[in-house]
Amino acid sequence: MDFNLTEEHLMIRDAARDFAQTELLPGVIERDEKQVFPDELVKKMGELGFLGIMVDPKYGGSGMDTISYVLIMEELSKIDASASVIVSVNNSLVCYGIEKYGNEEQKQKYLTKLATGEYLGAFCLSEPEAGSDATSQRTTAIDMGDHYLLNGTKNWITNGGRSDVYLVIAQTDREKGHRGINAFIVEKGMPGFDIGPKEDKLGIRGSDTHTLQFNDVKVPKENRIGEDGFGFKFAMKTLSGGRIGIASQALGIASGAYELALKYSKERKAFGTEICNHQAIAFKLADMATEIEAARLLVMRSAYDKDQGNNYDMSSAMAKLYASKVAMEQTVEAVQIHGGNGFVKEYHVERLMRDAKITQIYEGTSEIQKIVISRGVLRD
Ligand SMILES: Cc1cc2nc3c(=O)[nH]c(=O)nc-3n(C[C@H](O)[C@H](O)[C@H](O)COP(=O)(O)OP(=O)(O)OC[C@H]3O[C@@H](n4cnc5c(N)ncnc54)[C@H](O)[C@@H]3O)c2cc1C
């Protein structure tokens, strides 16, 4: 067992750290306040290879491993979790979904553009009546011979207004239950595909979240991913890897808040000394450092499992469950260490605290992660 990062991993982490400090940090408060999607920054992240981190270079990707992915995600998330969720969805849901389960034509047509950042992608599973219970899909895709007719509503879709390619999960045969669900590649601009207004959110306000409407959208047969009825498995398998991305986002939010709190505690004086010299504050820092390191080990373990070809359903659920809890709890502590300054925007920790909450909700709530973990535990 080797806990050291390789030279290459260290270089990748430093490159992401440098990008986050020089490019993401300026303007992050304003983007959050005004809900501005970082178009230019997304373009730059594409040029750096951050939008197709694990994709095979033959499809335009960076050909890196999952460890590299989580290192990049942690560094971006320390500064701007809105930017990192764009990266996470494009990489672990859209690119991975097409690379792993799509056919060669789909890879040539879509993946090559998604991996370079020419296209952006969205993953569309959630519906007004089907969130945690993803088997209750109301969106239908009826087989019409040479195409499918898509009808329904998807909500909460990240990159919803900005994407070119949408992976849409829909029910083809209701009698077959979840075995009658399919996944489709839908392009922006297909007739009958409408994008609703942007959500006004508590956190990750720079990300782009929309409801999508499909009214008699004709989706070509060749845009179905995998065999007929593969859609639910496709969604579950893809989300399993997605959880590694969100776990590393949570880790980054927590460690970003911790670094700010540590620095502040060494500068701010109260009762004649820096506040870090008060044991109550020093113990908070000790708890933060310990829990963040534990979260990092779980995140790395799940990335390792994926890279080794091990099953990572359990380890990714554990990583997401724990890292998101640490992110929520420790960003609250970071605000506390900042006192009144923690409550205003310019010190960044209030934003990180608001951003932390979503990591306990999307790509499976914490309750759903516990269902996944307990099933695994009881099966063993
Ligand atoms: C900002 C944002 C971005 C998102 N991005 C995307 C995206 O890109 N694509 C996408 O498809 N979806 C996306 N989502 C949707 C997200 O994945 C869902 O919100 C989430 O899965 C929860 O579903 P729900 O909101 O319907 O809550 P519900 O399923 O209604 O759950 C409500 C509460 O009940 C609990 N609960 C439900 N079932 C059980 C159970 N069996 N046991 C115990 N507790 C249970 C939940 O944990 C939760 O606490 C996003 C959501 C947000 C807010």
Side-chain angles (χ1 to χ4, degrees):
M1 202 186 297
D2 186 355
F3 286 96
N4 294 309
L5 293 172
T6 63
E7 278 300 311
E8 203 188 338
H9 284 140
L10 289 171
M11 275 171 53
I12 290 161
R13 187 192 65 187
D14 290 348
R17 186 173 291 175
D18 187 53
F19 175 80
Q21 284 293 336
T22 56
E23 301 280 353
L24 294 182
L25 185 56
V28 66
I29 293 174
E30 197 186 357
R31 290 196 298 277
D32 169 71
E33 200 175 345
K34 298 184 178 158
Q35 298 216 89
V36 178
F37 184 84
D39 286 298
E40 276 306 307
L41 294 166
V42 171
K43 211 169 136 225
K44 286 184 184 170
M45 290 195 287
E47 285 159 10
L48 282 170
F50 290 176
L51 293 178
I53 297 168
M54 295 165 287
V55 175
D56 192 321
K58 75 176 178 191
Y59 298 117
S62 305
M64 295 187 224
D65 59 8
T66 316
I67 300 282
S68 305
Y69 172 53
V70 303
L71 290 170
I72 293 169
M73 278 297 296
E74 180 181 352
E75 293 305 322
L76 302 181
S77 307
K78 280 182 187 177
I79 306 294
D80 187 351
S82 296
S84 73
V85 71
I86 299 164
V87 170
S88 185
V89 167
N90 202 70
N91 274 283
S92 45
L93 299 182
V94 184
C95 284
Y96 177 81
I98 296 178
E99 185 167 24
K100 176 83 178 166
Y101 301 110
N103 61 33
E104 192 54 31
E105 290 77 52
Q106 291 167 344
K107 290 180 202 177
Q108 291 297 343
K109 189 169 178 192
Y110 299 108
L111 183 59
T112 50
K113 294 192 168 95
L114 287 160
T116 55
E118 188 182 336
Y119 278 2
L120 197 61
F123 184 85
C124 316
L125 174 66
S126 300
E127 301 184 356
E129 304 300 330
S132 301
D133 180 9
T135 53
S136 301
Q137 293 288 306
R138 303 249 170 117
T139 298
T140 53
I142 306 304
D143 190 340
M144 306 297 282
D146 65 337
H147 66 273
Y148 286 90
L149 204 58
L150 187 64
N151 277 289
T153 304
K154 295 287 173 183
N155 64 348
W156 308 119
I157 304 305
T158 302
N159 298 341
R162 285 303 204 284
S163 288
D164 306 276
V165 169
Y166 298 76
L167 302 189
V168 180
I169 314 298
Q171 189 82 47
T172 296
D173 187 342
R174 200 164 296 285
E175 295 209 331
K176 289 186 182 161
H178 71 272
R179 290 192 180 80
I181 290 174
N182 278 307
F184 301 94
I185 303 173
V186 176
E187 294 179 29
K188 180 183 257 168
M190 282 182 167
F193 174 15
D194 295 314
I195 297 166
K198 186 169 171 158
E199 299 292 347
D200 188 359
K201 308 192 293 290
L202 170 76
I204 57 163
R205 288 170 56 80
S207 75
D208 189 48
T209 316
H210 291 259
T211 294
L212 309 178
Q213 199 77 46
F214 304 97
N215 297 308
D216 285 342
V217 179
K218 284 184 178 177
V219 182
K221 263 273 160 78
E222 63 265 24
N223 283 27
R224 191 187 72 208
I225 299 179
E227 295 297 310
D228 186 24
F230 179 64
F232 189 70
K233 201 165 175 199
F234 168 84
M236 293 303 110
K237 282 286 164 202
T238 308
L239 278 172
S240 203
R243 284 167 189 157
I244 301 175
I246 301 307
S248 54
Q249 181 189 42
L251 171 64
I253 293 170
S255 56
Y258 164 70
E259 286 172 14
L260 290 169
L262 181 63
K263 182 167 175 288
Y264 187 83
S265 74
K266 291 178 182 173
E267 293 165 358
R268 175 72 180 171
K269 287 190 176 155
F271 298 94
T273 185
E274 288 77 15
I275 57 170
C276 63
N277 295 325
H278 297 299
Q279 196 180 55
I281 300 294
F283 278 14
K284 280 190 198 301
L285 293 166
D287 283 342
M288 289 170 108
T290 306
E291 291 186 18
I292 289 167
E293 188 56 20
R296 185 172 290 112
L297 291 172
L298 280 174
V299 171
M300 286 295 174
R301 169 63 198 262
S302 64
Y304 171 87
D305 278 343
K306 183 160 177 282
D307 285 336
Q308 295 300 312
N310 301 337
N311 184 304
Y312 51 91
D313 293 342
M314 277 264 277
S315 58
S316 63
M318 285 179 175
K320 182 179 184 286
L321 174 68
Y322 188 70
S324 61
K325 176 174 174 283
V326 170
M328 197 63 252
E329 290 175 1
Q330 299 308 348
T331 52
V332 171
E333 289 295 61
V335 170
Q336 189 69 14
I337 290 173
H338 278 75
N341 284 332
F343 210 62
V344 294
K345 293 189 187 300
E346 66 182 286
Y347 283 83
H348 298 284
V349 285
E350 65 83 31
R351 185 186 71 256
L352 290 166
M353 184 182 81
R354 285 186 284 106
D355 288 350
K357 186 61 209 167
I358 191 61
T359 65
Q360 295 185 305
I361 297 173
Y362 57 17
E363 301 202 22
T365 62
S366 294
E367 290 77 13
I368 296 302
Q369 304 311 320
K370 287 187 191 181
I371 292 176
V372 172
I373 297 164
S374 59
R375 278 188 191 144
V377 168
L378 294 168
R379 197 171 42 234
D380 286 346

mmCIF file of all heavy atoms in Angstrom, residues 89 93 123-128 130-133 155-159 201 204 207 209 358 361-368 371, ligand 1:
data_model
loop_
_atom_site.group_PDB
_atom_site.id
_atom_site.type_symbol
_atom_site.label_atom_id
_atom_site.label_comp_id
_atom_site.label_asym_id
_atom_site.label_seq_id
_atom_site.Cartn_x
_atom_site.Cartn_y
_atom_site.Cartn_z
ATOM 1 N N VAL A 89 -20.016 16.579 -13.843
ATOM 2 C CA VAL A 89 -21.098 16.022 -14.677
ATOM 3 C C VAL A 89 -20.566 15.648 -16.060
ATOM 4 O O VAL A 89 -20.823 14.559 -16.578
ATOM 5 C CB VAL A 89 -22.281 17.022 -14.787
ATOM 6 C CG1 VAL A 89 -23.244 16.611 -15.889
ATOM 7 C CG2 VAL A 89 -23.015 17.117 -13.464
ATOM 8 N N LEU A 93 -20.359 11.561 -15.608
ATOM 9 C CA LEU A 93 -21.665 11.072 -16.054
ATOM 10 C C LEU A 93 -21.730 10.988 -17.578
ATOM 11 O O LEU A 93 -22.034 9.936 -18.138
ATOM 12 C CB LEU A 93 -22.786 11.977 -15.521
ATOM 13 C CG LEU A 93 -22.882 12.069 -13.984
ATOM 14 C CD1 LEU A 93 -24.056 12.944 -13.570
ATOM 15 C CD2 LEU A 93 -23.007 10.693 -13.338
ATOM 16 N N PHE A 123 -26.779 15.238 -17.775
ATOM 17 C CA PHE A 123 -27.276 13.905 -17.452
ATOM 18 C C PHE A 123 -28.674 14.064 -16.867
ATOM 19 O O PHE A 123 -28.844 14.715 -15.831
ATOM 20 C CB PHE A 123 -26.331 13.262 -16.431
ATOM 21 C CG PHE A 123 -26.653 11.849 -16.067
ATOM 22 C CD1 PHE A 123 -26.187 10.794 -16.852
ATOM 23 C CD2 PHE A 123 -27.389 11.562 -14.928
ATOM 24 C CE1 PHE A 123 -26.468 9.473 -16.498
ATOM 25 C CE2 PHE A 123 -27.680 10.247 -14.578
ATOM 26 C CZ PHE A 123 -27.206 9.206 -15.364
ATOM 27 N N CYS A 124 -29.675 13.481 -17.522
ATOM 28 C CA CYS A 124 -31.062 13.811 -17.192
ATOM 29 C C CYS A 124 -31.821 12.589 -16.690
ATOM 30 O O CYS A 124 -32.418 11.850 -17.486
ATOM 31 C CB CYS A 124 -31.760 14.382 -18.419
ATOM 32 S SG CYS A 124 -30.763 15.588 -19.315
ATOM 33 N N LEU A 125 -31.813 12.420 -15.388
ATOM 34 C CA LEU A 125 -32.527 11.304 -14.766
ATOM 35 C C LEU A 125 -33.708 11.813 -13.936
ATOM 36 O O LEU A 125 -34.819 11.300 -14.047
ATOM 37 C CB LEU A 125 -31.552 10.507 -13.867
ATOM 38 C CG LEU A 125 -32.143 9.381 -13.032
ATOM 39 C CD1 LEU A 125 -32.666 8.250 -13.929
ATOM 40 C CD2 LEU A 125 -31.086 8.806 -12.070
ATOM 41 N N SER A 126 -33.478 12.851 -13.124
ATOM 42 C CA SER A 126 -34.498 13.296 -12.160
ATOM 43 C C SER A 126 -35.726 13.902 -12.839
ATOM 44 O O SER A 126 -35.613 14.577 -13.858
ATOM 45 C CB SER A 126 -33.914 14.326 -11.202
ATOM 46 O OG SER A 126 -32.840 13.771 -10.503
ATOM 47 N N GLU A 127 -36.860 13.651 -12.208
ATOM 48 C CA GLU A 127 -38.137 14.191 -12.684
ATOM 49 C C GLU A 127 -38.903 14.729 -11.484
ATOM 50 O O GLU A 127 -38.602 14.353 -10.341
ATOM 51 C CB GLU A 127 -38.974 13.081 -13.340
ATOM 52 C CG GLU A 127 -38.288 12.433 -14.519
ATOM 53 C CD GLU A 127 -39.181 11.410 -15.205
ATOM 54 O OE1 GLU A 127 -40.309 11.161 -14.707
ATOM 55 O OE2 GLU A 127 -38.755 10.872 -16.231
ATOM 56 N N PRO A 128 -39.936 15.540 -11.737
ATOM 57 C CA PRO A 128 -40.727 16.048 -10.608
ATOM 58 C C PRO A 128 -41.252 14.924 -9.704
ATOM 59 O O PRO A 128 -41.325 15.088 -8.497
ATOM 60 C CB PRO A 128 -41.872 16.802 -11.293
ATOM 61 C CG PRO A 128 -41.289 17.238 -12.602
ATOM 62 C CD PRO A 128 -40.343 16.142 -13.016
ATOM 63 N N ALA A 130 -39.916 11.698 -9.762
ATOM 64 C CA ALA A 130 -38.931 10.607 -9.687
ATOM 65 C C ALA A 130 -37.553 11.173 -9.380
ATOM 66 O O ALA A 130 -36.798 11.532 -10.278
ATOM 67 C CB ALA A 130 -38.893 9.821 -11.012
ATOM 68 N N GLY A 131 -37.276 11.300 -8.071
ATOM 69 C CA GLY A 131 -35.954 11.773 -7.645
ATOM 70 C C GLY A 131 -35.168 10.596 -7.109
ATOM 71 O O GLY A 131 -34.566 9.838 -7.867
ATOM 72 N N SER A 132 -35.237 10.406 -5.790
ATOM 73 C CA SER A 132 -34.563 9.239 -5.192
ATOM 74 C C SER A 132 -35.110 7.946 -5.793
ATOM 75 O O SER A 132 -34.363 6.999 -6.037
ATOM 76 C CB SER A 132 -34.806 9.220 -3.675
ATOM 77 O OG SER A 132 -34.311 10.396 -3.090
ATOM 78 N N ASP A 133 -36.413 7.916 -6.028
ATOM 79 C CA ASP A 133 -37.041 6.728 -6.621
ATOM 80 C C ASP A 133 -36.977 6.832 -8.143
ATOM 81 O O ASP A 133 -37.968 7.111 -8.819
ATOM 82 C CB ASP A 133 -38.501 6.638 -6.137
ATOM 83 C CG ASP A 133 -39.210 5.429 -6.710
ATOM 84 O OD1 ASP A 133 -38.530 4.583 -7.332
ATOM 85 O OD2 ASP A 133 -40.438 5.345 -6.542
ATOM 86 N N ASN A 155 -36.226 17.498 -14.281
ATOM 87 C CA ASN A 155 -35.921 18.725 -13.536
ATOM 88 C C ASN A 155 -34.577 18.636 -12.828
ATOM 89 O O ASN A 155 -33.951 17.582 -12.783
ATOM 90 C CB ASN A 155 -37.050 19.120 -12.578
ATOM 91 C CG ASN A 155 -37.291 18.119 -11.487
ATOM 92 O OD1 ASN A 155 -36.776 17.012 -11.540
ATOM 93 N ND2 ASN A 155 -38.072 18.496 -10.504
ATOM 94 N N TRP A 156 -34.116 19.787 -12.381
ATOM 95 C CA TRP A 156 -32.835 19.928 -11.669
ATOM 96 C C TRP A 156 -31.634 19.582 -12.535
ATOM 97 O O TRP A 156 -30.658 19.042 -12.036
ATOM 98 C CB TRP A 156 -32.782 19.040 -10.422
ATOM 99 C CG TRP A 156 -33.899 19.141 -9.470
ATOM 100 C CD1 TRP A 156 -34.743 18.147 -9.104
ATOM 101 C CD2 TRP A 156 -34.291 20.292 -8.710
ATOM 102 N NE1 TRP A 156 -35.640 18.603 -8.175
ATOM 103 C CE2 TRP A 156 -35.386 19.915 -7.912
ATOM 104 C CE3 TRP A 156 -33.820 21.609 -8.641
ATOM 105 C CZ2 TRP A 156 -36.020 20.800 -7.055
ATOM 106 C CZ3 TRP A 156 -34.452 22.497 -7.783
ATOM 107 C CH2 TRP A 156 -35.531 22.075 -7.000
ATOM 108 N N ILE A 157 -31.686 19.834 -13.828
ATOM 109 C CA ILE A 157 -30.598 19.337 -14.679
ATOM 110 C C ILE A 157 -29.416 20.311 -14.726
ATOM 111 O O ILE A 157 -29.521 21.439 -15.219
ATOM 112 C CB ILE A 157 -31.119 19.009 -16.100
ATOM 113 C CG1 ILE A 157 -32.282 18.009 -16.011
ATOM 114 C CG2 ILE A 157 -29.982 18.472 -16.980
ATOM 115 C CD1 ILE A 157 -31.996 16.718 -15.252
ATOM 116 N N THR A 158 -28.286 19.835 -14.201
ATOM 117 C CA THR A 158 -27.040 20.613 -14.185
ATOM 118 C C THR A 158 -26.524 20.755 -15.617
ATOM 119 O O THR A 158 -26.585 19.800 -16.399
ATOM 120 C CB THR A 158 -25.984 19.883 -13.318
ATOM 121 O OG1 THR A 158 -26.519 19.713 -12.010
ATOM 122 C CG2 THR A 158 -24.683 20.661 -13.258
ATOM 123 N N ASN A 159 -26.004 21.920 -15.941
ATOM 124 C CA ASN A 159 -25.577 22.271 -17.311
ATOM 125 C C ASN A 159 -26.792 22.309 -18.248
ATOM 126 O O ASN A 159 -26.636 22.254 -19.474
ATOM 127 C CB ASN A 159 -24.543 21.288 -17.893
ATOM 128 C CG ASN A 159 -23.244 21.247 -17.096
ATOM 129 O OD1 ASN A 159 -22.953 22.156 -16.339
ATOM 130 N ND2 ASN A 159 -22.453 20.203 -17.288
ATOM 131 N N LYS A 201 -30.771 29.243 -6.748
ATOM 132 C CA LYS A 201 -30.382 28.233 -5.769
ATOM 133 C C LYS A 201 -29.685 28.797 -4.520
ATOM 134 O O LYS A 201 -29.128 29.885 -4.531
ATOM 135 C CB LYS A 201 -29.433 27.218 -6.430
ATOM 136 C CG LYS A 201 -29.965 26.621 -7.735
ATOM 137 C CD LYS A 201 -29.150 25.429 -8.195
ATOM 138 C CE LYS A 201 -27.743 25.754 -8.608
ATOM 139 N NZ LYS A 201 -27.619 26.509 -9.850
ATOM 140 N N ILE A 204 -23.965 26.536 -5.106
ATOM 141 C CA ILE A 204 -23.456 26.332 -6.482
ATOM 142 C C ILE A 204 -24.235 27.202 -7.489
ATOM 143 O O ILE A 204 -24.709 26.731 -8.514
ATOM 144 C CB ILE A 204 -23.394 24.830 -6.893
ATOM 145 C CG1 ILE A 204 -24.747 24.125 -6.769
ATOM 146 C CG2 ILE A 204 -22.315 24.084 -6.136
ATOM 147 C CD1 ILE A 204 -24.805 22.786 -7.540
ATOM 148 N N SER A 207 -23.509 27.467 -11.237
ATOM 149 C CA SER A 207 -23.856 26.348 -12.126
ATOM 150 C C SER A 207 -25.255 26.595 -12.688
ATOM 151 O O SER A 207 -26.009 27.408 -12.166
ATOM 152 C CB SER A 207 -23.790 25.015 -11.379
ATOM 153 O OG SER A 207 -24.903 24.870 -10.530
ATOM 154 N N THR A 209 -28.801 25.278 -13.632
ATOM 155 C CA THR A 209 -29.756 24.205 -13.320
ATOM 156 C C THR A 209 -31.129 24.529 -13.912
ATOM 157 O O THR A 209 -31.700 25.584 -13.601
ATOM 158 C CB THR A 209 -29.871 24.048 -11.779
ATOM 159 O OG1 THR A 209 -28.580 24.100 -11.199
ATOM 160 C CG2 THR A 209 -30.552 22.761 -11.410
ATOM 161 N N ILE A 358 -25.433 20.918 -1.125
ATOM 162 C CA ILE A 358 -25.890 20.136 -2.288
ATOM 163 C C ILE A 358 -25.196 18.780 -2.384
ATOM 164 O O ILE A 358 -25.767 17.828 -2.907
ATOM 165 C CB ILE A 358 -25.703 20.950 -3.614
ATOM 166 C CG1 ILE A 358 -26.418 20.255 -4.790
ATOM 167 C CG2 ILE A 358 -24.233 21.142 -3.960
ATOM 168 C CD1 ILE A 358 -27.893 20.122 -4.617
ATOM 169 N N ILE A 361 -27.204 16.028 -1.323
ATOM 170 C CA ILE A 361 -28.497 15.842 -2.021
ATOM 171 C C ILE A 361 -28.336 15.205 -3.399
ATOM 172 O O ILE A 361 -28.980 14.194 -3.700
ATOM 173 C CB ILE A 361 -29.238 17.205 -2.132
ATOM 174 C CG1 ILE A 361 -29.585 17.741 -0.735
ATOM 175 C CG2 ILE A 361 -30.500 17.071 -2.990
ATOM 176 C CD1 ILE A 361 -30.170 19.147 -0.712
ATOM 177 N N TYR A 362 -27.482 15.815 -4.264
ATOM 178 C CA TYR A 362 -27.519 15.273 -5.650
ATOM 179 C C TYR A 362 -26.658 14.028 -5.835
ATOM 180 O O TYR A 362 -25.849 13.692 -5.018
ATOM 181 C CB TYR A 362 -27.257 16.338 -6.709
ATOM 182 C CG TYR A 362 -26.001 17.175 -6.703
ATOM 183 C CD1 TYR A 362 -24.868 16.848 -6.001
ATOM 184 C CD2 TYR A 362 -25.973 18.344 -7.491
ATOM 185 C CE1 TYR A 362 -23.728 17.647 -6.060
ATOM 186 C CE2 TYR A 362 -24.837 19.151 -7.552
ATOM 187 C CZ TYR A 362 -23.726 18.787 -6.825
ATOM 188 O OH TYR A 362 -22.616 19.568 -6.888
ATOM 189 N N GLU A 363 -26.957 13.360 -6.952
ATOM 190 C CA GLU A 363 -26.365 12.045 -7.277
ATOM 191 C C GLU A 363 -26.593 11.037 -6.148
ATOM 192 O O GLU A 363 -25.714 10.257 -5.796
ATOM 193 C CB GLU A 363 -24.891 12.189 -7.671
ATOM 194 C CG GLU A 363 -24.776 13.111 -8.890
ATOM 195 C CD GLU A 363 -23.518 12.960 -9.693
ATOM 196 O OE1 GLU A 363 -22.875 11.901 -9.627
ATOM 197 O OE2 GLU A 363 -23.195 13.922 -10.416
ATOM 198 N N GLY A 364 -27.776 11.112 -5.594
ATOM 199 C CA GLY A 364 -28.183 10.242 -4.495
ATOM 200 C C GLY A 364 -28.014 10.941 -3.168
ATOM 201 O O GLY A 364 -26.894 11.285 -2.781
ATOM 202 N N THR A 365 -29.139 11.159 -2.460
ATOM 203 C CA THR A 365 -29.064 11.824 -1.148
ATOM 204 C C THR A 365 -28.272 10.940 -0.172
ATOM 205 O O THR A 365 -28.033 9.749 -0.441
ATOM 206 C CB THR A 365 -30.484 12.025 -0.570
ATOM 207 O OG1 THR A 365 -31.072 10.720 -0.394
ATOM 208 C CG2 THR A 365 -31.364 12.868 -1.487
ATOM 209 N N SER A 366 -27.957 11.510 0.979
ATOM 210 C CA SER A 366 -27.224 10.726 1.992
ATOM 211 C C SER A 366 -28.031 9.502 2.422
ATOM 212 O O SER A 366 -27.471 8.431 2.674
ATOM 213 C CB SER A 366 -26.908 11.609 3.201
ATOM 214 O OG SER A 366 -26.002 12.617 2.804
ATOM 215 N N GLU A 367 -29.354 9.662 2.469
ATOM 216 C CA GLU A 367 -30.202 8.518 2.846
ATOM 217 C C GLU A 367 -30.077 7.402 1.797
ATOM 218 O O GLU A 367 -30.022 6.220 2.139
ATOM 219 C CB GLU A 367 -31.668 8.960 2.990
ATOM 220 C CG GLU A 367 -31.955 9.860 4.186
ATOM 221 C CD GLU A 367 -31.518 11.322 3.993
ATOM 222 O OE1 GLU A 367 -31.207 11.710 2.854
ATOM 223 O OE2 GLU A 367 -31.474 12.067 4.993
ATOM 224 N N ILE A 368 -30.036 7.805 0.541
ATOM 225 C CA ILE A 368 -29.905 6.805 -0.532
ATOM 226 C C ILE A 368 -28.518 6.138 -0.485
ATOM 227 O O ILE A 368 -28.392 4.932 -0.705
ATOM 228 C CB ILE A 368 -30.194 7.444 -1.911
ATOM 229 C CG1 ILE A 368 -31.656 7.916 -1.984
ATOM 230 C CG2 ILE A 368 -29.859 6.494 -3.066
ATOM 231 C CD1 ILE A 368 -32.719 6.845 -1.764
ATOM 232 N N ILE A 371 -28.728 3.447 1.927
ATOM 233 C CA ILE A 371 -29.426 2.265 1.391
ATOM 234 C C ILE A 371 -28.431 1.417 0.589
ATOM 235 O O ILE A 371 -28.346 0.197 0.760
ATOM 236 C CB ILE A 371 -30.640 2.681 0.516
ATOM 237 C CG1 ILE A 371 -31.716 3.312 1.404
ATOM 238 C CG2 ILE A 371 -31.198 1.486 -0.248
ATOM 239 C CD1 ILE A 371 -32.926 3.857 0.645
HETATM 240 C C1 LIG B 1 -28.673 21.838 -7.758
HETATM 241 C C2 LIG B 1 -29.117 20.491 -8.190
HETATM 242 C C3 LIG B 1 -28.539 19.899 -9.295
HETATM 243 C C4 LIG B 1 -28.971 18.640 -9.729
HETATM 244 N N1 LIG B 1 -28.453 18.093 -10.881
HETATM 245 C C5 LIG B 1 -29.044 16.982 -11.407
HETATM 246 C C6 LIG B 1 -28.669 16.505 -12.706
HETATM 247 O O1 LIG B 1 -27.778 17.047 -13.368
HETATM 248 N N2 LIG B 1 -29.327 15.432 -13.206
HETATM 249 C C7 LIG B 1 -30.310 14.795 -12.523
HETATM 250 O O2 LIG B 1 -30.851 13.823 -13.038
HETATM 251 N N3 LIG B 1 -30.693 15.219 -11.282
HETATM 252 C C8 LIG B 1 -30.076 16.302 -10.718
HETATM 253 N N4 LIG B 1 -30.478 16.751 -9.480
HETATM 254 C C9 LIG B 1 -31.550 16.074 -8.781
HETATM 255 C C10 LIG B 1 -31.094 15.325 -7.530
HETATM 256 O O3 LIG B 1 -30.330 14.203 -7.902
HETATM 257 C C11 LIG B 1 -32.336 14.989 -6.716
HETATM 258 O O4 LIG B 1 -32.792 16.206 -6.154
HETATM 259 C C12 LIG B 1 -32.065 13.962 -5.641
HETATM 260 O O5 LIG B 1 -31.808 12.704 -6.221
HETATM 261 C C13 LIG B 1 -33.217 13.827 -4.655
HETATM 262 O O6 LIG B 1 -34.431 13.676 -5.316
HETATM 263 P P1 LIG B 1 -35.692 14.594 -4.913
HETATM 264 O O7 LIG B 1 -35.229 16.007 -4.931
HETATM 265 O O8 LIG B 1 -36.828 14.231 -5.762
HETATM 266 O O9 LIG B 1 -35.971 14.229 -3.416
HETATM 267 P P2 LIG B 1 -36.910 13.005 -2.903
HETATM 268 O O10 LIG B 1 -36.558 11.762 -3.631
HETATM 269 O O11 LIG B 1 -38.320 13.445 -2.931
HETATM 270 O O12 LIG B 1 -36.431 12.880 -1.394
HETATM 271 C C14 LIG B 1 -36.892 13.754 -0.367
HETATM 272 C C15 LIG B 1 -36.279 13.259 0.941
HETATM 273 O O13 LIG B 1 -36.729 11.927 1.210
HETATM 274 C C16 LIG B 1 -35.624 11.056 1.386
HETATM 275 N N5 LIG B 1 -35.948 9.734 0.867
HETATM 276 C C17 LIG B 1 -36.499 9.401 -0.331
HETATM 277 N N6 LIG B 1 -36.613 8.081 -0.445
HETATM 278 C C18 LIG B 1 -36.140 7.534 0.707
HETATM 279 C C19 LIG B 1 -35.981 6.208 1.191
HETATM 280 N N7 LIG B 1 -36.327 5.130 0.466
HETATM 281 N N8 LIG B 1 -35.452 6.024 2.432
HETATM 282 C C20 LIG B 1 -35.073 7.094 3.172
HETATM 283 N N9 LIG B 1 -35.184 8.387 2.761
HETATM 284 C C21 LIG B 1 -35.704 8.590 1.542
HETATM 285 C C22 LIG B 1 -34.488 11.713 0.614
HETATM 286 O O14 LIG B 1 -33.219 11.269 1.059
HETATM 287 C C23 LIG B 1 -34.749 13.186 0.909
HETATM 288 O O15 LIG B 1 -34.219 13.507 2.152
HETATM 289 C C24 LIG B 1 -29.980 17.975 -8.998
HETATM 290 C C25 LIG B 1 -30.543 18.570 -7.863
HETATM 291 C C26 LIG B 1 -30.149 19.817 -7.474
HETATM 292 C C27 LIG B 1 -30.825 20.447 -6.282
#
